[in-house]
């Protein structure tokens, strides 16, 4: 497969009264992506917090998040059915999921569905302060690289993209697409993720697809407001768009950005680009080991 059409959502989170209302919004977006002939659709981190409004939003947020985790299997079934029906790869944002060992631990997980309905999972590896201190979400430790019909792809959930070693490891394992489902409540938080996503595209000569939440749930702490802008980012070289941005939305508006990734171009850039940062990074570890502190 030489070309891949990708759709990334600026997903508008709004209160819902029933699971079916949530389903209808999700289903309509998947149908739209299919109408545009997208082959990979990306939802953002924590867009599933819409479902918190089905319960009592005045309870402690720690309890609400664990209630939301009870919806994980129903949510997974919905996304699996949509992936199979529309013959799409879907990275289904994230949802809290209870640990399977009977403890009270909750993880933030991203389900990745193939067009046949098979499911992979990438958990979030680094927790932000509100996740750790208020929502009491636990980090995963396993990083996965997914083999697909269009090659290898990795997922770094929001804050995880701020740790460059993860994307570098994915690049060295042959991943040429990095997906970043994100949820940020202010411009500063959004830019931390966006700037890091752009850096990962350049450092590892890979496409980076960011999906964001927009809209608001004023009654839910940490996602009461959202600042987001979906984008498809490229390395910075002559083979790509001038500013390293293949597509991006207008900030804070409900929309879907779509772009065609040329998989041959990204592979060629890794061996014939103006610079070869992924290849040249193999000497970085040795350089770092020999670092000296020089008094002046």
């Amino acid at each position: 497969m030489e070309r891949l059409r990708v759709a990334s959502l600026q997903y508008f989170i709004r209160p819902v009264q029933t699971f079916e209302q949530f389903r209808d919004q999700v289903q309509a977006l998947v149908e739209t992506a299919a109408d545009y002939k997208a082959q990979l659709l990306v939802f953002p981190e924590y867009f599933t917090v819409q479902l918190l409004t089905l319960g009592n939003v005045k309870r402690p947020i720690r309890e609400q998040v664990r209630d939301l985790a009870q919806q994980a299997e129903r949510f997974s079934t919905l996304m699996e059915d949509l992936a199979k029906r529309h013959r799409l790869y879907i990275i289904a944002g994230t949802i809290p999921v209870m640990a399977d060992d009977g403890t009270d631990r909750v993880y933030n997980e991203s389900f990745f569905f193939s067009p046949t309905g098979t499911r992979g999972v990438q958990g979030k590896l680094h927790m932000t302060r509100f996740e750790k201190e208020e929502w009491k979400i636990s980090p995963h430790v396993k990083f996965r690289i997914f083999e697909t019909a269009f090659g290898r792809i990795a997922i770094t959930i929001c804050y995880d993209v701020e740790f460059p070693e993860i994307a570098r490891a994915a690049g060295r394992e042959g991943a040429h697409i990095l997906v970043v489902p994100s949820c940020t409540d202010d411009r500063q938080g959004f830019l931390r993720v966006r700037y890091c996503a752009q850096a990962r595209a350049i450092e590892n000569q890979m496409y980076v697809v960011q999906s964001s939440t927009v809209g608001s749930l004023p009654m839910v702490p940490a996602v009461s407001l959202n600042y987001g802008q979906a984008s498809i980012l490229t390395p910075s070289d002559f083979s790509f768009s001038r500013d390293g941005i293949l597509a991006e939305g207008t900030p804070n508006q409900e929309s879907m950005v779509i772009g065609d990734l040329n998989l041959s171009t990204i592979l060629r850039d890794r061996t014939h680009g103006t610079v070869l940062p992924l290849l040249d990074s193999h000497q970085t570890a040795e350089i770092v080991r020999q670092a000296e502190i020089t008094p002046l």
Side-chain angles (χ1 to χ4, degrees):
M1 183 184 294
E2 183 171 348
R3 301 185 76 85
L4 174 72
R5 179 160 294 180
V6 175
S8 181
L9 288 164
Q10 285 182 196
Y11 186 95
F12 194 94
I13 58 171
R14 52 173 65 86
V16 292
Q17 280 75 51
T18 64
F19 184 90
E20 287 70 26
Q21 280 186 344
F22 169 76
R23 178 203 62 196
D24 291 347
Q25 182 176 344
V26 169
Q27 186 171 291
L29 290 167
V30 176
E31 289 171 354
T32 300
D35 286 344
Y36 279 98
K37 313 298 183 192
Q39 296 152 287
L40 170 65
L41 172 62
V42 181
F43 283 80
E45 181 190 34
Y46 283 138
F47 79 101
T48 50
V49 295
Q50 271 185 295
L51 296 170
L52 288 177
T53 58
L54 299 180
N56 179 3
V57 296
K58 300 299 184 186
R59 289 180 302 152
I61 189 64
R62 180 182 177 282
E63 295 177 13
Q64 293 186 59
V65 167
R66 280 150 179 79
D67 273 359
L68 177 56
Q70 303 303 322
Q71 301 276 3
E73 273 312 305
R74 190 179 188 188
F75 167 74
S76 176
T77 300
L78 167 65
M79 301 306 274
E80 177 187 334
D81 290 345
L82 290 171
K84 287 194 292 188
R85 189 186 315 165
H86 295 284
R87 305 295 298 168
L88 271 171
Y89 283 94
I90 297 178
I91 294 181
T94 76
I95 187 169
V97 175
M98 297 298 300
D100 58 8
D101 58 3
T103 67
D104 188 48
R105 278 182 298 168
V106 173
Y107 300 106
N108 182 14
E109 296 189 347
S110 182
F111 298 150
F112 186 3
F113 295 95
S114 77
T116 63
T118 55
R119 188 180 85 171
V121 179
Q122 176 61 61
K124 193 170 184 178
L125 306 170
H126 300 86
M127 297 296 111
T128 59
R129 290 192 61 189
F130 84 83
E131 289 178 296
K132 188 164 37 183
E133 298 170 8
E134 299 174 31
W135 291 27
K136 307 296 182 186
I137 306 277
S138 298
H140 268 294
V141 295
K142 175 72 76 176
F143 178 56
R144 293 184 169 89
I145 296 162
F146 300 96
E147 193 80 64
T148 73
F150 49 84
R152 293 182 178 177
I153 183 168
I155 301 170
T156 51
I157 301 170
C158 201
Y159 188 38
D160 283 336
V161 81
E162 299 182 30
F163 299 85
E165 300 89 347
I166 300 172
R168 173 58 46 83
R172 286 179 174 167
E173 290 295 331
H176 47 250
I177 300 172
L178 181 71
V179 170
V180 185
S182 67
C183 174
T184 47
D185 58 341
D186 56 39
R187 180 176 168 82
Q188 287 79 5
F190 162 73
L191 288 177
R192 283 195 297 271
V193 176
R194 170 61 181 262
Y195 290 157
C196 289
Q198 186 87 65
R200 302 298 88 85
I202 294 169
E203 293 164 348
N204 301 296
Q205 295 169 283
M206 56 173 42
Y207 293 111
V208 178
V209 182
Q210 182 180 0
S211 176
S212 299
T213 49
V214 299
S216 65
L217 288 178
M219 67 294 286
V220 178
V223 291
S224 54
L225 296 172
N226 287 271
Y227 189 106
Q229 181 183 33
S231 60
I232 303 172
L233 308 171
T234 75
S236 185
D237 209 337
F238 295 108
S239 303
F240 304 97
S241 50
R242 191 197 68 172
D243 298 323
I245 302 169
L246 179 60
E248 65 179 347
T250 300
N252 300 322
Q253 292 187 10
E254 183 174 30
S255 63
M256 176 186 296
V257 301
I258 298 173
D260 286 348
L261 310 188
N262 189 318
L263 305 178
S264 297
T265 300
I266 201 80
L267 292 176
R268 190 165 55 248
D269 189 63
R270 286 182 170 179
T271 52
H272 294 84
T274 304
V275 293
L276 306 174
L278 182 62
L279 181 66
D280 293 337
S281 69
H282 287 283
Q283 62 181 317
T284 305
E286 183 61 25
I287 293 170
V288 170
R289 270 196 296 274
Q290 298 179 22
E292 292 181 354
I293 297 173
T294 304
L296 296 177

